[in-house]
Amino acid sequence: MTSFPLLAVLLPFVGAAAGLLLSRWPRGRAAGGANRRAAWIAVVPTAGAAVLAGWLAWGQGLGFLTGGARAEAVGATYGTIVTGSVPISLTLQADDLSALLGALVTLVALAVQVYSIGYLRDDPRYPSYSAFVSLFTAAMLLVAYAGDLLVVYVGWEIMGICSYLLIGHWWEDLGNSRAAIKAFLVTRLGDVGFLFGIFVLGIGAGSFRIADVLAAVPEMSSGTLVAATLLLLAGVAGKSAQVPLHTWLPDAMAGPTPISALIHAATMVAAGIFIVARLFPAFAAARPTMDVLAVMAALGMLGAALAALAQDDLKRVLAYSTVSQLAYMAGGLAAGSDTAAIFHLVTHGAFKALLFLCAGLVIHHVGTNLMSQMGGLRRALPVTFVTATIGFAALMGLPPASGFFSKDALLVAMEGALSGGLTDAAALLLYGCALATVAVTGAYATRAWLRTFFGRGRTVALPEPEPGTAHVVDTREAPRVMLVPVMLLAVPALLLGFAVEPHLDLPVAAISVALALLGAGVVYVAWRADPVADPARLLGVLRVPCERAFYVDSLYSAILVRPVMALARGVLRADDTAVDGAVRGSGRVARGLSGLLRLAQNGNVQLYLSGLLAGVLLIAVGAVVFT
């Protein structure tokens, strides 16, 4: 088993290399044949990695969630890079925490690879798409199993470039390419702080090995810990789309829907939460950082939930929901419970991947992302309706779905933070926003469910799109290759809460369910009164600010994007006028002087002879005058 973490990383990596190099070989074959080969090359290694990761999770991961005895880490060190100061250890290992994440990543990645076979069946760039998904999976597994912080950073950055390539898969559309660039730049901004945080923490501990860093935490000064964790928190905010670096994730919905399920449910956005849990002793020892994390989580969970309540695009509803749920996990970490946060990370990965794939089935059927053009789909899409209902119930935290148990654990932790661990103001803000978010989550989940599957059908037949868009109006359920992954994901979304012994706090659970049902009930009453109208009208004057996500993007555009663009234009003008102008000016001067010399070099022998005689005469006159 010591080689299982390495094999789990290598299998999808080899699949990515093979997919890029071999799927279109030999040249000249039909695109359908290339797509079939690419599908096999992508699915088989991912399935192998899922088996290995599942084996590791069964042996290692349950102790983390149950609070029981934790198994010893399994793995090996494959060399050391000498840097002249702190060495880099090439260690891959599966402990209780990383084994859980590895199983989640491979399960969702396998479901996405299989689902994508049907979703992108006629896409000419499917081979490169499937290869990048495999590379993304390998990078996330490297983050999960790495035993050294700089090895984590390698996987962290590979995920960044893969997300850019996958979000911009349909790059012909300017909006898609801009969304990919925005995701890349915003996450890179956070990664600058993340890298310096690794340096501060590693140098302070004298090692980049995670085990050594955690062992050295009690000996580090509070200033070192606060500085390192705040810098790391910048990268966490970027990767996990938390305030204030959350704006890239809703725009990233421009990519194919399976990518939203992969990146925005179980992998990249989960990486930031995972890192805080991985280094939790360091964060717990830096109290100011935990207060900052609590405030970020409080603002993110409620603000994103309100934004989700006003969106018409089904995928953007789920995108803002992801920001909100990740903020719940961050709130649990701030409250001091890494176990509750990871429990919700696992259940959220299952039910949110399920919801994104269900959204893909709906979009595949109606040909649009807009809920205003949906409705009445429960009869046309019975499998999608049932599985999406399970996903929405888990999102709302209704029993017996998995989200009920994990959300209850988070609320218990946040309630406990009121009596210590955080400053009073931060703890009160966190718990109050968490309770309010429960009600808003019930409202936006119910709104999306009702407007998609109930009421009068509003499907409008659209013209056949260009190949590669994967939005095709159809009167049937999606192909079986798309339905099977959805049905399989519905099982953990419903039952994963029973995988560990539940420790329910009945008063907190009752309050949570009551608030969720309150939000759902208000939306249902508004919808029942007028099934055609949008229940978001209940927001009144707040509807537009919520729909625009409180103008955060506009604010960033005004104070950051436009000044930077103006500065770039100024630099361009200075470069064109001063630097290039000087070069062009020297060229013009040289050409002018050469024009003067050219007058004497015209090939006229009489002119040459006259010049020679004139020179001799001048020399003679000078000799006579000055001697």
Side-chain angles (χ1 to χ4, degrees):
M1 287 182 62
T2 57
S3 61
F4 278 17
L6 176 63
L7 291 174
V9 174
L10 286 180
L11 280 173
F13 178 80
V14 171
L20 289 173
L21 298 175
L22 302 179
S23 61
R24 297 186 185 276
W25 183 87
R27 293 185 179 276
R29 293 287 186 90
N35 285 6
R36 284 192 295 273
R37 284 193 299 275
W40 282 105
I41 292 171
V43 170
V44 173
T46 305
V51 171
L52 295 174
W55 186 280
L56 289 170
W58 181 261
Q60 306 292 122
L62 292 180
F64 186 87
L65 295 180
T66 60
R70 298 186 179 183
E72 185 178 350
V74 173
T77 299
Y78 301 96
T80 300
I81 299 175
V82 179
T83 64
S85 56
V86 181
I88 302 171
S89 173
L90 303 179
T91 301
L92 292 177
Q93 64 182 28
D95 56 15
D96 46 12
L97 176 58
S98 60
L100 279 175
L101 185 65
L104 174 65
V105 168
T106 52
L107 172 67
V108 175
L110 180 60
V112 166
Q113 289 282 27
V114 174
Y115 182 96
S116 298
I117 295 172
Y119 195 84
L120 297 172
R121 179 181 54 194
D122 300 321
D123 194 310
R125 289 198 297 272
Y126 171 77
S128 60
Y129 163 91
S130 61
F132 290 140
V133 172
S134 295
L135 182 59
F136 191 100
T137 305
M140 186 62 199
L141 289 173
L142 184 61
V143 170
Y145 293 137
D148 189 281
L149 288 174
L150 287 178
V151 178
V152 168
Y153 189 73
V154 172
W156 190 274
E157 291 302 318
I158 294 175
M159 279 196 299
I161 188 63
C162 288
S163 69
Y164 166 76
L165 295 169
L166 290 169
I167 293 168
H169 177 72
W170 292 319
W171 50 264
E172 297 90 345
D173 188 316
L174 183 61
N176 294 349
S177 61
R178 285 182 172 176
I181 292 171
K182 181 177 181 179
F184 185 78
L185 292 178
V186 173
T187 53
R188 292 294 75 68
L189 179 63
D191 290 352
V192 174
F194 188 77
L195 179 59
F196 281 99
I198 288 175
F199 288 155
V200 173
L201 202 57
I203 292 172
S207 173
F208 290 117
R209 285 176 61 94
I210 294 175
D212 296 341
V213 169
L214 296 181
V217 165
E219 302 172 3
M220 291 189 198
S221 67
S222 60
T224 299
L225 286 172
V226 170
T229 52
L230 284 175
L231 288 168
L232 290 172
L233 205 56
V236 170
K239 272 291 189 289
S240 290
Q242 293 299 287
V243 175
L245 300 180
H246 63 288
T247 56
W248 66 269
L249 194 142
D251 290 347
M253 296 298 105
T257 302
I259 290 308
S260 301
L262 180 68
I263 297 178
H264 308 134
T267 52
M268 193 168 89
V269 295
I273 302 299
F274 168 76
I275 287 298
V276 177
R278 195 87 165 90
L279 302 174
F280 191 69
F283 279 86
R287 181 165 176 170
T289 303
M290 299 297 269
D291 287 333
V292 171
L293 182 61
V295 174
M296 288 171 53
L299 297 178
M301 67 174 72
L302 183 56
L306 289 170
L309 185 56
Q311 304 300 312
D312 189 35
D313 187 319
L314 179 58
K315 288 178 66 177
R316 289 181 74 88
V317 171
L318 298 179
Y320 281 111
S321 169
T322 298
V323 176
S324 180
Q325 295 300 305
L326 290 166
Y328 257 114
M329 303 171 206
L333 291 168
S337 179
D338 55 337
T339 302
I342 295 302
F343 186 22
H344 194 60
L345 184 148
V346 173
T347 61
H348 173 265
F351 69 71
K352 187 55 65 66
L354 171 64
L355 285 172
F356 270 117
L357 295 185
C358 287
L361 295 175
V362 170
I363 294 166
H364 184 275
H365 181 82
V366 301
T368 178
N369 294 15
L370 302 179
M371 293 186 292
S372 57
Q373 297 181 25
M374 299 177 187
L377 295 176
R378 70 186 186 280
R379 295 185 181 89
L381 305 175
V383 175
T384 305
F385 169 65
V386 172
T387 53
T389 300
I390 293 173
F392 280 123
L395 173 61
M396 293 169 63
L398 299 180
S402 60
F404 166 71
F405 298 97
S406 58
K407 187 172 288 187
D408 177 76
L410 287 173
L411 289 173
V412 169
M414 294 179 203
E415 184 184 45
L418 294 172
S419 58
L422 295 172
T423 59
D424 293 341
L428 186 60
L429 176 66
L430 179 63
Y431 190 58
C433 287
L435 292 177
T437 304
V438 172
V440 180
T441 301
Y444 73 70
T446 303
R447 170 178 173 264
W449 184 64
L450 291 172
R451 285 176 63 77
T452 302
F453 296 106
F454 291 85
R456 181 173 56 85
R458 295 181 289 273
T459 303
V460 178
L462 302 176
E464 186 71 13
E466 293 295 326
T469 60
H471 295 172
V472 180
V473 178
D474 201 349
T475 58
R476 304 162 296 175
E477 279 273 20
R480 187 176 301 176
V481 73
M482 297 170 66
L483 289 178
V484 170
V486 169
M487 290 187 289
L488 292 178
L489 279 173
V491 176
L494 180 62
L495 302 177
L496 196 56
F498 297 101
V500 299
E501 182 180 353
H503 299 283
L504 291 178
D505 185 300
L506 292 180
V508 172
I511 292 172
S512 173
V513 172
L515 288 173
L517 292 176
L518 174 64
V522 170
V523 167
Y524 177 77
V525 169
W527 174 84
R528 189 70 178 172
D530 188 355
V532 177
D534 189 347
R537 67 185 186 276
L538 295 175
L539 291 170
V541 296
L542 290 177
R543 181 173 181 177
V544 174
C546 290
E547 187 176 9
R548 298 289 300 276
F550 305 101
Y551 304 100
V552 175
D553 259 326
S554 301
L555 177 64
Y556 286 171
S557 180
I559 66 175
L560 294 175
V561 177
R562 291 175 190 167
V564 169
M565 293 296 291
L567 179 61
R569 286 191 291 268
V571 170
L572 178 62
R573 284 195 295 269
D575 178 70
D576 185 65
T577 304
V579 180
D580 287 352
V583 174
R584 289 193 295 266
S586 62
R588 286 193 293 268
V589 170
R591 290 181 64 185
L593 293 176
S594 68
L596 295 176
L597 294 175
R598 185 179 169 193
L599 296 176
Q601 299 291 330
N602 60 2
N604 189 328
V605 178
Q606 294 177 346
L607 180 63
Y608 296 163
L609 183 60
S610 300
L612 177 62
L613 293 175
V616 171
L617 180 61
L618 288 175
I619 293 172
V621 171
V624 171
V625 172
F626 294 105
T627 57

